[in-house]
Each structure stands twice: as structure tokens, then as C-alpha cells.
Amino acid sequence: MARSIINIVNISKRFVHKVLLDNVNLLIEEKSKIGMIGRNGAGKTTLLKILMGLEEADDGEIIFSDDVRIGYLRQQGDFDDNEKVIDYLTRVTNKESWKCSKIASRFGIDHIKVNYNLGNLSSGYRMRVKLAEMMLYEPNFLILDEPSNFLDLNTLIDLENFLMDYNGGFLIVSHDREFLKTTCEKTIEMENGKITYFPGNIEDYFEYKEEKEYTIKKYNKNIEERKAHLERFVERFRYKATKAKAVQSRIKQIEKLKTIEITHPAKNVRIKLPEVPEKKGFAIISDDLSVGYGEKIVADSGRIEIPRGSRVAVLGQNGEGKTTFLRTIAGRIKPVSGTYNYSYGIKIAYFGEDTYKNVTSNDTVLSYLKKNAKQGLLTQELLTLLGSFLFSGDDVNKDVKVLSGGEMARLSLLAAITQCADVLILDEPTNHLDFETVESLANSLRDYGGTIFFTSHDRTFASLLADTIIEVKNKKLSLYPGDYEAYVYRVRLDALEEEEKELEYQDKKNKENVNIEEKNNNYEERKKIRSRLSKCESLMKKYEKEIEDYKKEEAEILKFFETSSSYDDDKSKRLLEVKKLIEKTENEWLLVTEEIDNIRTML
């Protein structure tokens, strides 16, 4: 039986009139890999801060085992831009230089980058430094609060691979469904001040939740039917003296019949966006475009043509120029050189950090949206959309000036979308949305009549929406030939290749050492190669499970058409999608098995 290391006992926390945590209880066992989900404002971050001692609970206590060592991913580092990575790590952790280098290499900071000045690193690599710093304190339990909001895809994949091999436990708050699915074995949902614990991953939890909701609805329907039957009896015989006793008996039965409230229905977020007419032709053409600030070039490109109706994900590591490119084609900054041209008469709407920071409007939430949205949209339509973006009830009458950063971001995002523009440019639209809203928004934007350019650290959002990739890498902007899944797979292989190069370097260096050191280093090298093999084998099993699930769904749809006398267009479309998914996943499975064969030759 696993040993408990953290015991959360009757924790309560209230802010003004809102109860965030209501007698929360949770027992966390060592090496538990837990994903925590819940809507914005549900109390997830508050619970983590209480765990870390950054906030006090109103009631209750948290009991830690004597040997628990918690690692917390700090978003801010005590950085000096002129300090080398290795010097920073040794200074803040008081660990030996060799140990700092070893841990840093696990997060893609090789023997070269470890000697870079911190000021020369991208934000993605700075986050890698913070991850290395966290692990140098040798924690046995990690707490990560929304890591996908701050990590670029490459760093997130490195973190994902690390967590899959991590020997301790962790608690992750994230709205990135793919990240949670890959790393976590257990699930916690926070809602209405309470915790629901489920001993399975997020996909299994959603399936359980839908089954539970179906059972409750069926139960409630039976209860309502029984109540209606009893009420008809009462109405019929209410004034008959001979039936008085029977009537009173029925009234008591009615009072005992209670339905079960479904407080948070599974997948209940639906976003219906205003219609935007579809048009043919190209959306934008760029020629020899260089983007940057002043005369400084951040990235440049050759000719890029994007047809109307495309959903373009702009991908790359932090600091490569994704935001600079989006701000350029949005007209926020001028190109350093070259040109870009939209089709005649195209209207552009832009959402980015600079659209919601420092807002000084005297509007309320509703009046602000009315002022920015396309003229002619009905007030009820806007209210419904505000509800989908987590503004409900009196929230719509809030003064914009008092909104939190997250609330202002959501409102500004909705203001951009409701302009019904021909081209929608979104820079990190998902950072302040819960995962249900993220997935619903992605599905809604797939039906958007215009063209969409976006960046997002959320893989679920990007995979649902993107049909075209612009990659920003090594100061170059270019169209990527594959789809989003192919891009992610390429990033995974690149990470493995970088690790292999570092292993080769270490091997060369080790040959200069004495024999006993060389043996130890060879052992470490083989250990890393086995780790690479383990990661690829895990990926292979993941693909095998997906193929099995897709084929099961395909068989169910085919069975439906064999047994049904009516045609279902949605099922027909889904059948085509499933066939494509099977083919794509089988191709990815083949690539992984080839990589496994190559690795095994190295052992």
C-alpha cells in the first residue's frame, strides 16, 4: 500500500461572499501523478498557494510527512542578464557545478548553452533554467500551476518527457488536455468549493462523468414521472373525504421524491459565434517579409501565400518571433523590409496582450462588448456569448476598470471575435480560459467563415483548429509541409536528436578520463539511451491505444449504418474523419517503431 505524504484536512477558504474551498479533504500518496482541472475561479490556484504556504486557509490544516520535499515551479527567477546559466544555478542552489550541468542537460540546456548569459536566452530557455533550478533542490513531489501558459511547445515536450520518467509524484493544474493525458494517472476536479477525486486519467474521468450524468438524468426522469403520477392522484381526490388519508400519504411521498442536481454537466460549454460569410481567393501574400523592431530583424521569409478560410498556427520556440509576426500582419508594427498584402476590402481583428493591458474605458463589460462588436448583433446574442466566456449574471454590469487581467483578456478576445472580421489574428487566446471553453472555442472557430492566424501553447486547441502551419525557426518564417500532429512529432524527434548529440559529446569527453570514470560515464550514457527507448515505446503504446479506439469507433459507426434505416450526416462525416485518423496514427506508429529499431542497435 502506497504511503501518504500530504494530507489535506477540512480546508476552507472564503473571499468576501464567495466560498472557494469548502471543507476540502484529499490524501496524496507518494509518487502519485495527479492532474487537477476545474473552471476559472474554482479555487485551484488558491489550494496550491495554501499547500505552498503562500496563503493561509480560514479553517483546516495540511499535514506533510517528515520526508516530503516539494518543488514549486517559480514563474519569476532572480536573474541577472549578464550572469551565465551555470553561475546562476550554482549561486541560487549552492550545488556543485557538475551537478548543475547534469540536471540542466535533462532540460535541453547542453554543455554549450549552460555557458550562455541569461540575457541571451529566449523565454522558453529561461523557463528551462527555472525547471533545472527546481530539480536541483531534489524534491520528491512537484507542484506545477498552468505550465503550458508559460512554456513553448519544445520546452513543454521536454517537461512532458521528464515527468514521464520522474520517480517522484506531482500535482499539475493545466487546461492542456493532451499534456494531462500524457503525464497524469489520476484526476482531481474542483467545482463549487469541493474536490472530486478519480483514480484514472482525464480521458477515463470524462467518460465516467458522462456515464454518471446519463444515469442521473435517467433517475431524475423517473422521479419526475412518479411525482407527476402522484400529483394527478392528489388533484383528482383532494376534496374527497373518503380519500383524505390516501391523499395525505401521496403528498408525503411527493415531498420525499428529490431529483439530483447536475451541478456541472459534462462538456456543457457550447459557443455559437456570429456568422462570417466565406469567400474565395487568397487572404494574404507576403514577399521577402522581414519582421522586427526598428532595424533589428527578428525573422524573415520568402514568399508565403495563405488562402482564405485557412486556420494558420504560427509555431516555434518562445523568442523566435511568433508575436512579432502576428503584430506585423495585424498592422501594429511596420515590417523591417519586404511586403505583405491582403485581398481588397479585407477587415482585420486582432487579439494580443497589448489589446487588453492598460484599458482605461469607462464602459461596463456589456457596453464595452457592444462598442467593439459588429453593429447589428443582438444584445441577447452578446449576453449568451459573454456567458460562454465566463461572464454571467451581474458580471456583465461590472466596470471594465475593475476587471482582473484574466477577465479583461477574455472580454478582449470576445470583442475581437465578434467583430466578424475577414481575418482574425489571435496571440495566445487560451491562456485565461478553462479547458472546456478552450475546446469549445476551437470547435466553434473551425466553422468561422474567415481566415484565422493564431499562436497557442495549448496543444489541444492547436490540434483541433490548425490546418496550416507557419514555423518560426532560426530567424526564418516558412510554411511547414505537414499538419500539426506531424509538427509535434518532429519536435519530439528533434528533442531526441539533441539529446543524442549531447550524449555523443559527453562520450567523447569521457574518453579523456580514467578508465573507472569512463565506465561510469558509459553506464550513464546507456541509461539515457534506455530512457530514450522507454519514451519511444511509451509513444508507440499511446499510438496503438489510439488506433484501437479509432477502429472501435469505426466499427460502431458501420454497425449503426448496417442496422439503421435512416441516414445520419454527422455520423457519415465522422466516419471519414476516423478513417483519416486511423491512417495518420498508423503512419506515426510506423515512424516510432523505426526509431525504436534504430535505438536498439545502439544498446
Side-chain angles (χ1 to χ4, degrees):
M1 184 176 177
R3 181 174 62 92
S4 64
I5 56 172
I6 303 173
N7 190 5
I8 299 171
V9 184
N10 295 327
I11 290 292
S12 294
K13 183 71 175 180
R14 178 188 294 271
F15 284 108
V16 192
H17 300 298
K18 183 176 182 180
V19 177
L20 278 183
L21 305 173
D22 184 12
N23 289 321
V24 168
N25 290 276
L26 180 66
L27 195 65
I28 298 177
E29 298 174 335
E30 62 179 343
K31 299 187 179 182
S32 292
K33 300 180 183 344
I34 305 169
M36 180 184 285
I37 62 175
R39 292 190 166 185
N40 289 349
K44 304 184 298 297
T45 296
T46 299
L47 180 60
L48 296 192
K49 287 182 177 179
I50 292 173
L51 271 172
M52 294 305 304
L54 302 175
E55 283 190 18
E56 289 187 5
D58 295 336
D59 294 295
E61 62 177 332
I62 297 178
I63 303 169
F64 297 94
S65 67
D66 293 337
D67 60 344
V68 68
R69 301 182 304 278
I70 294 180
Y72 182 63
L73 181 60
R74 296 192 299 147
Q75 302 306 334
Q76 301 297 326
D78 181 21
F79 286 163
D80 177 348
D81 286 350
N82 296 317
E83 190 173 24
K84 289 182 179 179
V85 172
I86 188 65
D87 294 337
Y88 168 78
L89 291 175
T90 54
R91 174 174 65 83
V92 298
T93 65
N94 291 319
K95 303 290 184 181
E96 297 91 338
S97 176
W98 67 267
K99 190 164 189 177
C100 292
S101 294
K102 181 179 178 181
I103 296 298
S105 69
R106 295 169 73 179
F107 294 101
I109 306 172
D110 59 21
H111 63 282
I112 298 173
K113 293 186 179 69
V114 80
N115 289 301
Y116 281 8
N117 285 349
L118 288 161
N120 294 331
L121 296 180
S122 68
S123 56
Y125 270 96
R126 284 182 170 224
M127 186 57 70
R128 292 169 189 252
V129 173
K130 293 170 192 171
L131 288 165
E133 177 190 346
M134 177 181 71
M135 293 311 303
L136 279 163
Y137 292 114
E138 300 180 0
N140 54 15
F141 193 83
L142 309 179
I143 293 179
L144 307 179
D145 188 4
E146 294 288 7
S148 62
N149 280 6
F150 307 96
L151 305 184
D152 56 43
L153 178 62
N154 304 62
T155 311
L156 191 63
I157 285 175
D158 277 345
L159 175 60
E160 188 177 275
N161 290 335
F162 169 78
L163 291 172
M164 289 166 68
D165 293 335
Y166 183 55
N167 194 38
F170 50 76
L171 175 61
I172 300 174
V173 172
S174 179
H175 62 241
D176 188 328
R177 186 165 172 168
E178 187 66 27
F179 181 63
L180 292 177
K181 183 170 68 174
T182 304
T183 58
C184 298
E185 299 169 353
K186 301 174 182 178
T187 306
I188 290 172
E189 182 172 28
M190 290 201 65
E191 56 179 333
N192 300 322
K194 300 291 187 181
I195 273 184
T196 299
Y197 171 83
F198 183 78
N201 67 25
I202 190 169
E203 297 296 303
D204 291 338
Y205 175 64
F206 286 143
E207 184 176 344
Y208 155 78
K209 193 170 180 180
E210 287 186 6
E211 289 176 356
K212 181 181 176 183
E213 182 183 333
Y214 172 78
T215 302
I216 291 174
K217 284 181 176 178
K218 191 174 180 180
Y219 171 83
N220 286 348
K221 184 180 178 182
N222 290 335
I223 291 293
E224 293 295 348
E225 288 175 352
R226 288 175 62 190
K227 283 176 71 175
H229 176 76
L230 292 169
E231 284 168 353
R232 285 194 296 270
F233 181 91
V234 170
E235 286 301 316
R236 183 178 177 185
F237 299 109
R238 182 186 295 274
Y239 303 108
K240 285 196 174 184
T242 56
K243 296 286 187 180
K245 188 174 181 180
V247 167
Q248 288 303 314
S249 174
R250 294 327 190 259
I251 290 174
K252 288 179 180 179
Q253 289 181 49
I254 291 171
E255 290 173 352
K256 290 179 180 179
L257 291 174
K258 304 291 185 183
T259 56
I260 301 173
E261 181 183 1
I262 301 175
T263 55
H264 188 177
K267 299 182 180 178
N268 67 339
V269 179
R270 299 290 183 269
I271 300 176
K272 182 172 174 55
L273 300 179
E275 289 189 7
V276 176
E278 296 182 12
K279 298 177 183 178
K280 301 297 183 182
F282 73 89
I284 186 173
I285 297 176
S286 69
D287 281 300
D288 300 323
L289 179 66
S290 295
V291 300
Y293 298 91
E295 296 181 357
K296 180 184 177 182
I297 296 175
V298 175
D300 55 33
S301 70
R303 184 179 178 88
I304 295 178
E305 297 184 16
I306 302 296
R308 286 193 173 195
S310 300
R311 281 84 175 92
V312 186
V314 183
L315 304 175
Q317 293 192 39
N318 289 350
E320 290 278 5
K322 302 187 298 292
T323 292
T324 307
F325 171 68
L326 291 186
R327 295 191 73 210
T328 300
I329 64 173
R332 297 281 178 169
I333 56 176
K334 293 181 179 179
V336 177
S337 63
T339 62
Y340 68 91
N341 294 288
Y342 289 102
S343 288
Y344 177 76
I346 272 186
K347 180 184 176 183
I348 301 165
Y350 170 74
F351 167 81
E353 188 176 25
D354 52 326
T355 62
Y356 63 86
K357 289 291 182 72
N358 304 316
V359 173
T360 57
S361 169
N362 290 320
D363 287 301
T364 64
V365 168
L366 180 57
S367 65
Y368 180 89
L369 185 59
K370 283 184 176 180
K371 184 182 292 184
N372 287 276
K374 179 183 177 181
Q375 295 299 309
L377 294 180
L378 299 176
T379 299
Q380 185 55 52
E381 190 173 1
L382 296 178
L383 287 171
T384 301
L385 284 166
L386 283 168
S388 299
F389 277 68
L390 312 180
F391 293 99
S392 57
D394 291 337
D395 290 342
V396 301
N397 297 316
K398 272 187 179 179
D399 191 328
V400 166
K401 289 180 181 178
V402 304
L403 295 181
S404 67
E407 289 173 326
M408 194 63 234
R410 296 199 305 272
L411 180 58
S412 297
L413 173 59
L414 186 55
I417 293 172
T418 52
Q419 290 177 38
C420 302
D422 302 293
V423 174
L424 189 56
I425 300 173
L426 307 175
D427 189 5
E428 293 297 346
T430 62
N431 279 357
H432 299 282
L433 302 177
D434 58 52
F435 72 89
E436 288 173 307
T437 308
V438 164
E439 294 183 22
S440 183
L441 178 62
N443 288 324
S444 298
L445 288 174
R446 286 163 66 178
D447 297 326
Y448 189 82
T451 306
I452 301 172
F453 290 86
F454 71 95
T455 62
S456 178
H457 290 141
D458 191 299
R459 274 179 296 170
T460 304
F461 181 82
S463 63
L464 285 171
L465 184 58
D467 60 24
T468 304
I469 308 294
I470 289 181
E471 182 179 32
V472 191
K473 185 178 182 181
N474 299 327
K475 295 189 175 183
K476 293 291 182 184
L477 285 154
S478 58
L479 282 172
Y480 184 77
D483 60 12
Y484 182 77
E485 296 302 324
Y487 178 82
V488 172
Y489 180 68
R490 208 282 313 276
V491 171
R492 287 187 182 279
L493 289 185
D494 285 349
L496 289 171
E497 288 175 7
E498 288 296 322
E499 186 178 356
E500 187 175 344
K501 288 178 183 177
E502 182 65 13
L503 285 171
E504 289 174 357
Y505 170 82
Q506 295 295 341
D507 183 50
K508 182 178 179 181
K509 186 177 179 180
N510 289 340
K511 288 178 181 178
E512 301 170 1
N513 298 329
V514 294
N515 288 338
I516 187 168
E517 291 178 337
E518 189 172 42
K519 288 180 181 179
N520 289 336
N521 288 332
N522 285 336
Y523 168 75
E524 288 297 325
E525 179 186 350
R526 292 177 69 83
K527 185 178 177 181
K528 289 183 179 180
I529 294 173
R530 290 191 191 96
S531 176
R532 283 183 55 214
L533 178 61
S534 176
K535 291 171 186 175
C536 285
E537 287 175 340
S538 295
L539 197 59
M540 181 183 71
K541 290 178 182 177
K542 174 177 175 286
Y543 288 142
E544 287 174 348
K545 177 66 166 59
E546 289 178 357
I547 292 168
E548 180 184 344
D549 290 344
Y550 289 140
K551 287 187 175 179
K552 182 180 177 182
E553 184 179 357
E554 180 187 35
E556 289 173 351
I557 297 173
L558 290 172
K559 184 177 180 181
F560 168 84
F561 283 117
E562 289 172 0
T563 58
S564 176
S565 59
S566 60
Y567 175 75
D568 189 310
D569 187 52
D570 288 339
K571 286 190 181 295
S572 180
K573 289 178 181 177
R574 180 58 183 166
L575 182 61
L576 292 175
E577 290 176 0
V578 169
K579 287 181 180 293
K580 290 179 181 178
L581 287 168
I582 291 171
E583 182 180 356
K584 183 177 73 173
T585 311
E586 285 178 339
N587 289 335
E588 290 169 342
W589 179 86
L590 284 171
L591 289 171
V592 174
T593 54
E594 289 175 7
E595 180 68 13
I596 289 172
D597 290 339
N598 291 335
I599 294 172
R600 282 174 176 163
T601 61
M602 300 168 63
L603 293 173

